[in-house]
């Protein structure tokens, strides 16, 4: 019995060192540690890839940016230029943007308010550009008689055929409390002191020497029906000699201190004076500064 125990102890002594020194057993213990370290990173990448793909997929499925229905560009210098590209755009939206850029009211008739526009043009001056948008176009202008001044639109109206024209005072309204409309002076005088005026077929002939500006303009107003706005403290005298000129050109030649409002009917090619205003020199400087 004692020999059996000693033999068992001797066998155990031989087996235990062999187990500790065995390379196969050592690899079986260490290999899991070496395998788990590099495997961690691929697992992280695989976990991230679905999220990235989801984000890309969300971006790809987002709604594409819509192109605006129209693009309008306005250049305002001595001459107004307009560029417009529209694809089935509401004319009311175009008119609103045009009014904002020109700083001028743009009104549409009831028929034109329902219209849409598909059009493309670039750098077209104001009047032909408006004729591309509507059959009938009316433009009210403010024209300064000072040298170098340019007409300024103060109202644009777009209409269809068989619609009434806008009211004469739709945008041009007088502001003065007094209107001076005087007739010819009574009594006879020398020919050089008289105001001679005639208005036929849209042409004005006027001759006056050293006459009060108010009297000359009042004679024009009486003869043509154009409204006159003035203050009674105007003391300027004028001498004019005009023969057969269109009414708007003739009025602007009377004095450098006038402002004329007229309406251009582009369909009929007519220009109708609406209002004559006498502008004091000190006020004119402020007006030119504001418009420049």
């Amino acid at each position: 019995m004692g020999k059996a125990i000693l033999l068992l102890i001797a066998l155990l002594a031989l087996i235990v060192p062999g187990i500790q020194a065995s390379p196969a057993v050592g690899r079986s213990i260490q290999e899991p540690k070496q395998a788990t370290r590099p495997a961690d990173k691929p697992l992280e990448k695989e976990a991230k890839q679905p999220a990235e793909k989801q984000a890309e997929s969300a971006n790809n499925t987002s709604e594409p940016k819509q192109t605006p229905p129209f693009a309008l560009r306005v250049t305002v210098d001595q001459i107004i230029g307009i560029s417009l590209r529209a694809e089935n755009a509401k004319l009311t939206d175009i008119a609103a943007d045009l009014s904002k850029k020109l700083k001028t009211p743009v009104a549409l008739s009831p028929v034109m308010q329902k219209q849409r526009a598909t059009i493309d043009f670039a750098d077209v001056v104001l009047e032909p550009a408006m004729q591309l948008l509507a059959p009938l176009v009316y433009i009210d202008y403010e024209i300064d008689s000072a040298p170098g001044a340019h007409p300024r639109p103060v109202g644009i109206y777009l209409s269809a055929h068989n619609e009434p024209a806008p009211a004469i005072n739709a945008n041009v309204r007088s502001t003065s409390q007094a209107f001076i409309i005087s007739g010819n002076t009574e009594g006879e005088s020398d020919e050089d002191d008289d105001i001679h005026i005639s208005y036929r077929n849209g042409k004005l002939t006027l001759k006056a020497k050293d006459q009060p500006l108010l009297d000359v303009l009042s004679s024009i107003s009486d003869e043509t029906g154009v409204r006159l706005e003035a203050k009674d403290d105007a003391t300027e005298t004028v001498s004019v000699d005009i023969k057969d000129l269109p009414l708007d050109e003739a009025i602007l030649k009377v004095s450098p201190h006038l402002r004329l409002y007229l309406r251009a009917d582009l369909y009929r090619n007519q220009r109708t004076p609406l209002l004559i205003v006498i502008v004091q020199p000190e006020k004119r400087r402020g007006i030119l500064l504001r418009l420049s």
Side-chain angles (χ1 to χ4, degrees):
M1 183 68 178
K3 291 181 179 181
I5 293 172
L6 290 175
L7 181 59
L8 181 60
I9 292 172
L11 290 173
L12 290 174
L14 292 173
I15 294 173
V16 170
I19 293 174
Q20 293 176 350
S22 174
V25 175
R27 284 197 299 270
S28 66
I29 295 173
Q30 294 176 358
E31 281 176 357
K33 294 182 180 179
Q34 293 175 355
T36 54
R37 287 177 183 174
D40 289 341
K41 292 184 178 179
L43 289 174
E44 292 176 359
K45 290 183 178 179
E46 291 177 0
K48 289 181 180 179
Q49 284 179 355
E52 293 175 356
K53 290 182 178 180
Q54 289 175 3
E56 292 177 359
S57 177
N59 293 333
N60 292 334
T61 56
S62 61
E63 294 183 0
K65 294 182 179 179
Q66 294 184 351
T67 303
F70 71 92
L72 175 68
R73 180 171 59 88
V74 176
T75 57
V76 180
D77 198 356
Q78 294 182 353
I79 298 176
I80 296 173
I82 297 176
S83 300
L84 173 63
R85 176 178 293 178
E87 183 67 32
N88 197 32
K90 292 181 179 179
L91 195 57
T92 51
D93 294 339
I94 296 174
D97 196 22
L98 180 63
S99 176
K100 180 179 178 181
K101 287 181 168 62
L102 285 176
K103 299 180 181 179
T104 300
V106 178
L108 301 179
S109 69
V111 172
M112 298 307 298
Q113 289 175 10
K114 303 175 183 178
Q115 303 304 310
R116 290 178 174 268
T118 297
I119 198 167
D120 188 358
F121 61 83
D123 297 323
V124 179
V125 296
L126 177 64
E127 293 188 0
M130 295 300 95
Q131 288 179 298
L132 293 173
L133 295 178
L136 302 183
V137 179
Y138 308 88
I139 302 179
D140 291 345
Y141 286 104
E142 176 188 272
I143 306 176
D144 204 309
S145 63
H150 295 274
R152 184 177 72 92
V154 294
I156 300 173
Y157 313 92
L158 306 180
S159 301
H161 290 294
N162 300 321
E163 287 191 296
I168 292 297
N169 61 346
N171 194 63
V172 177
R173 296 182 175 89
S174 57
T175 58
S176 175
Q177 296 296 327
F179 290 89
I180 301 174
I181 307 292
S182 62
N184 295 329
T185 55
E186 296 180 359
E188 295 183 357
S189 59
D190 294 337
E191 183 178 354
D192 289 342
D193 293 334
D194 289 341
I195 299 174
H196 300 275
I197 184 170
S198 66
Y199 180 59
R200 295 185 180 90
N201 300 321
K203 301 291 183 68
L204 183 72
T205 296
L206 174 65
K207 186 174 182 180
K209 182 178 180 180
D210 296 329
Q211 293 295 307
L213 177 60
L214 285 178
D215 289 349
V216 174
L217 294 178
S218 296
S219 298
I220 293 174
S221 181
D222 285 342
E223 189 74 16
T224 65
V226 179
R227 295 177 295 158
L228 171 63
E229 179 179 326
K231 293 184 178 180
D232 55 7
D233 57 356
T235 59
E236 181 181 355
T237 60
V238 295
S239 295
V240 293
D241 189 357
I242 298 169
K243 186 175 181 179
D244 289 335
L245 281 182
L247 182 55
D248 55 316
E249 294 182 25
I251 291 172
L252 293 172
K253 287 184 175 294
V254 173
S255 168
H257 302 140
L258 298 180
R259 191 183 308 138
L260 175 66
Y261 294 88
L262 64 81
R263 171 167 296 172
D265 181 342
L266 305 188
Y267 180 75
R268 298 173 181 83
N269 195 25
Q270 296 177 351
R271 300 169 74 86
T272 305
L274 305 176
L275 178 66
I276 306 170
V277 180
I278 297 178
V279 181
Q280 299 300 327
E282 62 274 10
K283 292 183 179 180
R284 178 179 299 286
R285 287 194 294 270
I287 292 170
L288 292 177
L289 179 62
R290 177 175 60 84
L291 297 180
S292 60

